[in-house]
């Protein structure tokens, strides 16, 4: 149980392209979804927390107009990297949970984004 | 600044050895402590969520303890197997930070057959 599907797993595209990443909880309803970014040899960095039907809460330093998050249902959240540039190249991973921090998070497989 | 520290950074053991890692976290306003296992090319898998001082949890050969007063948690693996090779991440939720999880860098475990 508690399976989260994230796709695409890898994206390579030109600078200026917008990229959408989907995160779906397949067998449970996730009240909260989290989007993380991980740079090489660094820890998971929380970008934003989203709750179904409400606006995402972005962490300090994360541009909400750059990283658009939509959490349209209890099973789907999307992250759109708008007008991506090489500095946006990174590993992005989502997780879904039924709580903020007293419930386990169930992760997708992550998306490796490379902007040329 | 809230930091979660994990040690050691990496560890190599022989099959059958027992091992343990440490996670240190801010003890003030503690809310929850998570452990995850992240195998290469897979997604992180939740192992434990602990909230109470003195908590001990067990899942097969893996167990964890929690000391919220001094701000540390230990993860133990008994009789390590090659399939235990992974990065073990801990994360701490703090009430002073809206209970959001702060992640450690992980301990990379390699179990040699």
């Amino acid at each position: 149980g508690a399976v989260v599907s994230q796709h695409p797993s890898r994206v390579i595209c030109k600078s200026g392209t917008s990229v959408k990443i989907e995160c779906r909880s397949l067998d449970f309803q996730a009240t909260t979804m989290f989007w993380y970014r991980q740079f090489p040899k660094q820890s998971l960095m929380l970008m934003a927390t989203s709750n179904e039907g409400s606006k995402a809460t972005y962490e300090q330093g994360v541009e909400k107009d750059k990283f658009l998050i939509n959490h349209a249902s209890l099973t789907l959240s999307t992250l759109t990297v708008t007008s991506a540039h090489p500095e946006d190249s990174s590993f992005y991973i989502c997780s879904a949970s039924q709580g903020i921090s007293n419930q386990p998070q169930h992760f997708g497989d992550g998306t490796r984004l490379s902007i040329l | 600044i809230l930091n979660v520290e994990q040690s050691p950074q990496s560890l190599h053991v022989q099959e059958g050895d027992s091992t343990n890692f440490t996670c240190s976290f801010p003890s003030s306003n503690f809310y929850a402590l998570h452990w995850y296992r992240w195998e290469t090319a897979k997604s992180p898998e939740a192992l434990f969520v602990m909230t109470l001082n003195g908590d001990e949890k067990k899942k097969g050969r893996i167990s964890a303890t929690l000391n919220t007063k001094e701000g540390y948690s230990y993860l133990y693996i008994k009789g390590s197997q090659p399939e235990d090779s992974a990065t073990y991440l801990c994360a701490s939720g703090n009430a002073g930070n809206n209970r959001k999880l702060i992640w450690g860098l992980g301990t990379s475990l390699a179990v040699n057959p």
Side-chain angles (χ1 to χ4, degrees), chain B residues 2 28-31 93-100:
Chain B
L2 304 173
S28 60
N29 296 316
F30 170 83
Y31 190 76
N94 186 283
N97 192 34
N98 293 321
R99 295 179 284 153
K100 293 176 292 188

Side-chain angles (χ1 to χ4, degrees), chain B residues 39-57:
Chain B
E39 295 180 64
T40 302
K42 294 187 178 180
S43 56
E45 172 198 357
L47 291 174
F48 306 112
V49 178
M50 296 185 287
T51 57
L52 298 176
N53 184 46
D55 256 355
E56 290 188 31
K57 294 206 172 181

